[in-house]
């Protein structure tokens, strides 16, 4: 019987960038936007606050873009400070590359296993889905979901009792499945 686990975000991740004021390495965004118009051109930024001193930085979303080329729904969501839009934009590789930032998902996600009634079976077949592109080590997810230590998961992997189509020792942010034989 196949069980489904889901890796879900609990909040927006930290934005890793050096603060010019206090030399802190991280910023927290709360989904606030600033939109500025220059005649027929728009600039839009996602605002983030330094975790050390509270200084504000702007992450560029739109830069000197023609008003007519911006979808009205996108503009409305920015004006409404939609946190869902902030999450989408933070996961956009183009926005991250343009602003030279990385994301820290350390305390911003949780694993939903749907209960622990399946853990006492001889063979466990699990499908892991991601609600957002959160880079996590599969070994960590398996350890947390099955109530094992990472060392125990490593032993099961070495013994061939833990099988998957993907490499379980690296990081992944895509859906995968695995089978655990006890």
């Amino acid at each position: 019987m196949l069980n489904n686990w889901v890796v879900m975000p609990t909040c927006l991740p930290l934005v890793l960038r050096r603060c010019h004021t206090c030399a802190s390495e991280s910023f927290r965004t709360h989904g606030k936007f600033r939109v500025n118009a220059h005649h027929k051109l728009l600039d839009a930024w996602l605002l983030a606050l330094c975790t050390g001193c509270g200084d504000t930085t702007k992450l560029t979303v739109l830069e000197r873009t023609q008003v007519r080329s911006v979808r009205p729904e996108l503009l409305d969501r920015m004006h409404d400070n939609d946190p869902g839009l902030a999450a989408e934009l933070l996961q956009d590789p183009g926005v991250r590359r343009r602003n030279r930032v990385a994301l820290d998902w350390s305390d911003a996600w949780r694993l939903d296993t749907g209960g622990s009634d399946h853990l006492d079976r001889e063979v466990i077949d699990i499908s892991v889905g991601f609600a957002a592109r959160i880079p996590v080590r599969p070994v960590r997810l398996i350890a947390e979901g099955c109530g094992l230590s990472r060392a125990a998961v490593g032993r099961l992997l070495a013994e061939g009792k833990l099988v998957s189509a993907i490499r379980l020792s690296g990081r992944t942010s895509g859906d995968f499945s695995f089978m655990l034989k006890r």
Side-chain angles (χ1 to χ4, degrees):
M1 182 173 165
L2 181 68
N3 291 312
N4 294 314
W5 291 358
V6 180
V7 178
M8 303 180 67
T10 57
C11 61
L12 294 173
L14 289 176
V15 175
L16 300 178
R17 172 190 245 181
R18 180 175 286 280
C19 178
H20 298 292
T21 306
C22 72
S24 173
E25 295 286 330
S26 60
F27 286 81
R28 178 157 308 281
T29 181
H30 297 287
K32 304 286 186 201
F33 290 90
R34 177 164 182 228
V35 179
N36 196 9
H38 305 280
H39 301 287
K40 294 181 182 181
L41 301 176
L42 282 180
D43 289 328
W45 302 278
L46 176 61
L47 303 178
L49 299 175
C50 176
T51 57
C53 66
D55 194 31
T56 302
T57 190
K58 299 184 288 189
L59 304 176
T60 303
V61 176
L62 299 174
E63 189 170 31
R64 301 292 177 179
T65 305
Q66 290 285 332
V67 173
R68 290 179 187 244
S69 66
V70 178
R71 293 186 330 267
E73 312 85 49
L74 176 65
L75 199 54
D76 289 341
R77 289 177 73 186
M78 280 192 244
H79 285 301
D80 294 338
N81 292 318
D82 183 8
L85 177 61
E88 290 171 25
L89 291 172
L90 284 175
Q91 292 189 19
D92 182 8
V95 171
R96 288 197 319 257
R97 189 173 38 255
R98 180 184 313 132
N99 291 287
R100 296 184 187 103
V101 297
L103 300 179
D104 179 11
W105 284 96
S106 296
D107 298 322
W109 62 273
R110 69 179 172 86
L111 178 64
D112 183 17
T113 61
S116 61
D117 57 341
H118 61 281
L119 297 178
D120 56 349
R121 294 195 199 119
E122 191 67 30
V123 177
I124 303 170
D125 194 14
I126 304 287
S127 173
V128 181
F130 287 79
R133 294 180 51 199
I134 303 170
V136 182
R137 294 185 187 280
V139 170
R140 179 178 178 189
L141 293 176
I142 295 167
E144 187 176 319
C146 294
L148 302 170
S149 68
R150 288 192 207 173
V153 172
R155 282 191 300 274
L156 289 170
L157 190 58
E159 293 169 1
K161 294 183 177 182
L162 181 59
V163 183
S164 179
I166 68 160
R167 187 174 61 107
L168 296 175
S169 59
R171 288 185 180 264
T172 186
S173 59
D175 299 350
F176 70 95
S177 60
F178 67 92
M179 184 182 304
L180 176 63
K181 302 171 191 172
R182 298 196 188 216

